[in-house]
Amino acid sequence: MRHTAKITTAALAAGALTLGLTACGSDKDSGSDADGPLVVAASPTPHAEILGYVKDHLAKKAGLDLEVKEFTDYVTPNTATEDGSVGANYFQNQPYLDDFNKKNGTHIVPVVTVHLEPLGLYSHKVKNADDLKSGATVAVPNDSVNEARALKLLAAHKIITLKDGVGNDATPSDIAKNPKNLTFKELEAAQTPRSLDDVDAAVVNGNYAIEADLKPAKDALVLESAKNNPYGNFLAVKEGEQDDPRVKKLARLLTSAEVKKFIQDRYDGSVIASF
């Protein structure tokens, strides 16, 4: 039986970044104690589930004492890693991390890429993206990287057209053509699947889609391609901790044949191993 501690988005609401730095309370510096367990912050699905498989089936034989802490937001795992409350995190991709480090002065670095969660467009009201009516409302994540990623997904499927040269900070103001006159509702990423009864469609991150019992490979109206995709999710640590023996062990286990098979069997194409 794996043991996890959940930290909810309520921790973020009350104090934003400052509270994020203290969200782990009495665990301060436990994650960076080389003689103790490696504490890893992770999103519940699929990250904590994958770590749970490693903990239950692979860690003991490898001599790794692994503890998993679940977070439901995209800020606290990085701030907790930065201040040493946890020793590593597993939830994010490179464009998001680059943006986060730049905006928050943090020093988080990737260790090894493990999987991709394809971003998808979902709807409770239409069964095909072409059926979206003029003036339809589409929810998108409100953090800069995932919002740009959502808009690029829609552009790749010719639902909108973005201005030339748009990068990872694209917003609806960067839309050049919007033939359906779509209205975009910007929400915290975790809220997008919950908005499906209130909007015509929503672009949802793969982990939140799975948590909402959506099956990206089957339910998405349009889905990101895995080919040459820069949004693979990785194990990350504070700069300087890459050589921690516990981190190296976990990196090796997360990219093992056993974990690849677990991902394939459990997620059936909704999560794709990237190694």
Side-chain angles (χ1 to χ4, degrees):
M1 179 69 70
R2 62 190 171 111
H3 300 283
T4 60
K6 289 193 175 183
I7 311 296
T8 69
T9 49
L12 187 61
L17 190 61
T18 301
L19 184 57
L21 287 167
T22 60
C24 294
S26 60
D27 288 332
K28 174 75 176 175
D29 293 329
S30 65
S32 57
D33 178 3
D35 294 325
L38 177 62
V39 183
V40 183
S43 297
T45 307
H47 309 78
E49 293 176 352
I50 295 170
L51 289 168
Y53 173 82
V54 171
K55 178 180 175 67
D56 292 344
H57 299 279
L58 305 175
K60 184 175 180 180
K61 184 176 179 180
L64 175 64
D65 187 0
L66 180 63
E67 181 180 339
V68 183
K69 288 198 171 185
E70 296 184 11
F71 293 77
T72 59
D73 68 271
Y74 285 167
V75 174
T76 319
N78 274 337
T79 56
T81 303
E82 178 75 11
D83 81 346
S85 298
V86 300
N89 68 56
Y90 174 34
F91 78 101
Q92 65 192 319
N93 57 56
Q94 191 68 59
Y96 178 83
L97 176 60
D98 289 344
D99 182 71
F100 189 94
N101 279 336
K102 181 179 179 180
K103 289 180 176 178
N104 295 284
T106 46
H107 308 84
I108 312 301
V109 296
V111 176
V112 66
T113 301
V114 181
H115 77 268
L116 171 72
E117 303 159 25
L119 197 74
L121 176 69
Y122 300 86
S123 176
H124 286 172
K125 299 179 180 178
V126 299
K127 294 184 177 180
N128 190 298
D130 291 338
D131 295 333
L132 286 170
K133 296 180 180 179
S134 179
T137 298
V138 178
V140 294
N142 65 2
D143 63 274
S144 57
V145 171
N146 280 305
E147 183 169 47
R149 186 180 175 189
L151 295 174
K152 288 179 181 180
L153 170 68
L154 299 179
H157 291 271
K158 304 187 185 306
I159 298 170
I160 60 172
T161 301
L162 293 172
K163 297 174 183 177
D164 291 341
V166 168
N168 291 325
D169 56 355
T171 70
S173 65
D174 295 303
I175 296 173
K177 295 181 181 180
N178 184 3
K180 289 182 177 287
N181 295 310
L182 300 176
T183 297
F184 293 93
K185 186 174 184 178
E186 298 167 302
L187 300 173
E188 183 185 352
Q191 300 296 323
T192 54
R194 302 172 196 170
S195 74
L196 282 169
D197 289 332
D198 303 315
V199 298
D200 296 288
V203 180
V204 183
N205 291 72
N207 61 312
Y208 292 131
I210 296 168
E211 288 176 22
D213 294 324
L214 296 167
K215 297 180 179 178
K218 298 178 181 179
D219 296 335
L221 305 184
V222 299
L223 193 66
E224 255 180 348
S225 171
K227 186 176 181 181
N228 299 321
N229 195 303
Y231 296 104
N233 284 205
F234 46 68
L235 179 70
V237 297
K238 186 175 182 179
E239 188 172 9
E241 300 299 322
Q242 301 95 310
D243 292 330
D244 185 322
R246 301 168 304 166
V247 172
K248 288 185 173 181
K249 286 179 182 178
L250 180 56
R252 185 174 70 252
L253 295 177
L254 281 171
T255 53
S256 65
E258 292 92 338
V259 166
K260 177 175 281 190
K261 186 176 187 304
F262 172 78
I263 291 173
Q264 292 170 341
D265 292 347
R266 185 173 182 91
Y267 302 110
D268 191 28
S270 295
V271 177
I272 304 167
S274 298
F275 56 90

